[in-house]
Amino acid sequence: MVRNLRFFPPRQIGNRVDSCWEENVKTHVVIFEARGGTDKGEYGYRPDSKPIIDSLTQKGWTSEIIFYRDEDRGEIYRHTCAKAGAYISRVNPGNLPSEVGYFQMLRELVKHGVIGLPHPDAMINYGAKNAVEKLKGTEIVPEDVKCYYDFETFKAEFPASLANGVRVAKQNRGSTGEGIWRVEVLDANPNGVVSLDQMVKCTEAKDNHVETMPLGEFIDFCVKYLDGEGGMILDMPFLERIKEGEIRVFMLRNSVVNIVHKKPADAPDAFSATLFSGAKYTYETPDKWPELVGIVNRSVPVIQRRLGNYDLPLIWTIDFILDTDPETGEDKYVLGEINASCVGFSTHLELSEDIANEIVRLMEAEAVVNPNWMAFAN
Ligand SMILES: Nc1ncnc2c1ncn2[C@@H]1O[C@H](COP(=O)(O)OP(=O)(O)O)[C@@H](O)[C@H]1O
Ligand SMILES: [Mg+2]
């Protein structure tokens, strides 16, 4: 398990050098946010950050929100390093002008003993769209998914993929359906081969708008999704039963805390579960979804192992779409994506208590367990 290792140099106690690990927890937590964005309240910060602060205060801990900007990076780093035992990252890195500096700062903080909630590499590995591909062959991901990292492979292989049926091509960045395309070949070729000049119907999950164009043109348009660090396109089957809704499992580390059932708008081309596109959300307790909760509980260790063995994020979601097993006719839950970087819980503010408890327990454990001999081995 990759953990946030903290080494404290040996301390001089009287005339004896005590080489044990630091026993005192720094009981201050910094919450990073970014300015702007639709998730902010009247006073500029996320409305669901305040209850975390209040819950920590009740435990006798202190915390504060810091708005990250590249320009202030050095000062923020020094302040956090000196004051905080842990940080909570509540920034959507895709919304920063560049995520490089932010991740660099988080990495340095972890290196210098601040507990990362989550560690930047955990954020990257759990939250990237290729998490679905990395879980291929498990109970929650079918074999028929792939991920492209360069334009040549995408251009060479995506047409053949479309010959198998309607696909969803997903860019890695963004989180509101932008660059998430349902792609369907119109007038399929009788010999089953799909060529670049065939017309495709492309529907974007951002707003369910439809564009029709030759496949070659769509592929060229997608070149931007493959640019730069983290550039990739996930290619998975379009799951018809998205009409019944996307099922979001809200996680606090390894426990399911609630379920959000997101039903796309009732319109012919609608497949998006985003609020902006008109989807309707229903909040449900886990006991309404016993089968799914069982699957999630079984899958969490596999998810953790396959996605790099990082500590589980504090707050994260696992999003599923229903499918039907062609052999048994039974329901199957297919992983659509994992969100690990800036999950909100504005509708369930009472969760702040559990979140604060988890932070405190975690920091206390980090302070007493020697990371060379961890409590939880794989
Ligand atoms: N394989 C799929 N089949 C059907 N609909 C899908 C599929 N994958 C994604 N969607 C729809 O597209 C929306 C956006 O895709 P998602 O993977 O959640 O990306 P984002 O990061 O933009 O939220 C989902 O909320 C869901 O409604
Ligand atoms: Mg999503």
Side-chain angles (χ1 to χ4, degrees):
M1 187 182 299
V2 181
R3 306 189 77 207
N4 311 328
L5 299 188
R6 292 191 301 161
F7 177 72
F8 294 89
R11 286 173 301 168
Q12 188 82 33
I13 298 176
N15 55 9
R16 176 173 73 93
V17 173
D18 183 0
S19 64
C20 79
W21 301 81
E22 176 64 83
E23 280 157 25
N24 295 318
V25 184
K26 258 191 215 154
T27 56
H28 185 71
V29 178
V30 163
I31 300 175
F32 291 124
E33 294 199 13
R35 282 203 183 81
T38 51
D39 56 353
K40 305 298 184 305
E42 211 181 330
Y43 295 96
Y45 60 82
R46 293 177 62 141
D48 49 1
S49 287
K50 181 71 167 61
I52 301 181
I53 294 178
D54 292 343
S55 297
L56 284 167
T57 308
Q58 274 168 22
K59 293 177 180 307
W61 289 44
T62 53
S63 47
E64 65 186 323
I65 298 170
I66 291 183
F67 284 91
Y68 175 82
R69 287 198 318 173
D70 275 339
E71 297 87 311
D72 304 327
R73 186 166 63 234
E75 206 182 330
I76 294 175
Y77 170 77
R78 283 188 295 277
H79 173 86
T80 309
C81 219
K83 293 256 159 57
Y87 70 74
I88 306 175
S89 175
R90 310 204 73 207
V91 172
N92 182 353
N95 289 348
L96 295 173
S98 152
E99 57 193 48
V100 179
Y102 181 61
F103 282 146
Q104 225 167 38
M105 179 190 80
L106 297 186
R107 226 170 252 128
E108 282 303 307
L109 285 173
V110 170
K111 220 162 64 196
H112 286 89
V114 181
I115 295 173
L117 300 172
H119 185 286
D121 293 327
M123 222 184 313
I124 294 169
N125 280 273
Y126 285 107
K129 290 290 190 290
N130 64 359
V132 176
E133 193 219 15
K134 288 180 184 168
L135 286 156
K136 184 152 79 172
T138 65
E139 187 180 2
I140 54 173
V141 178
E143 288 292 341
D144 183 19
V145 295
K146 41 178 109 164
C147 201
Y148 310 104
Y149 299 91
D150 65 85
F151 183 68
E152 288 64 37
T153 316
F154 178 56
K155 189 163 186 168
E157 295 181 10
F158 190 55
S161 187
L162 277 171
N164 295 330
V166 184
R167 310 293 294 183
V168 177
K170 304 188 183 194
Q171 71 148 335
N172 192 29
R173 305 181 188 99
S175 58
T176 51
E178 197 172 340
I180 309 292
W181 293 92
R182 176 192 183 277
V183 188
E184 177 182 6
V185 180
L186 299 171
D187 305 323
N189 209 322
N191 61 14
V193 178
V194 174
S195 61
L196 292 177
D197 53 13
Q198 256 173 280
M199 296 301 280
V200 285
K201 175 181 168 185
C202 308
T203 314
E204 192 178 20
K206 182 172 70 168
D207 50 8
N208 296 317
H209 85 279
V210 177
E211 294 181 38
T212 305
M213 63 188 101
L215 174 58
E217 195 177 304
F218 175 73
I219 289 180
D220 288 344
F221 165 82
C222 289
V223 68
K224 60 184 179 185
Y225 302 143
L226 294 157
D227 264 2
E229 196 154 329
M232 63 178 82
I233 295 173
L234 175 76
D235 166 8
M236 70 184 292
F238 171 71
L239 303 166
E240 297 264 351
R241 292 183 67 187
I242 185 63
K243 287 254 169 251
E244 294 168 45
E246 182 178 66
I247 306 140
R248 162 163 291 190
V249 180
F250 189 104
M251 304 288 297
L252 178 59
R253 293 195 86 84
N254 61 356
S255 6
V256 176
V257 286
N258 69 30
I259 311 275
V260 192
H261 194 178
K262 307 174 163 192
K263 249 181 156 174
D266 191 11
D269 288 312
F271 77 110
S272 175
T274 60
L275 273 181
F276 175 77
S277 69
K280 293 272 175 304
Y281 288 15
T282 322
Y283 296 88
E284 287 162 359
T285 50
D287 57 312
K288 294 238 172 71
W289 297 82
E291 192 194 345
L292 179 58
V293 171
I295 294 170
V296 168
N297 287 340
R298 279 200 296 280
S299 300
V300 163
V302 187
I303 293 175
Q304 186 172 24
R305 221 171 21 248
R306 292 237 189 149
L307 302 186
N309 257 332
Y310 291 94
D311 279 354
L312 293 173
L314 184 66
I315 312 169
W316 56 302
T317 74
I318 318 177
D319 295 348
F320 291 96
I321 302 168
L322 271 170
D323 195 15
T324 310
D325 188 317
E327 278 155 29
T328 62
E330 282 174 7
D331 283 352
K332 268 179 78 83
Y333 290 92
V334 175
L335 175 69
E337 68 158 342
I338 290 174
N339 292 291
S341 49
C342 63
V343 175
F345 58 100
S346 299
T347 44
H348 280 78
L349 295 178
E350 73 282 358
L351 278 178
S352 67
E353 189 68 26
D354 296 332
I355 294 170
N357 278 335
E358 188 60 33
I359 295 168
V360 170
R361 279 198 296 262
L362 216 118
M363 287 171 69
E364 284 173 354
E366 289 276 339
V368 295
V369 175
N370 185 319
N372 279 342
W373 295 278
M374 295 159 205
F376 305 104
N378 290 313

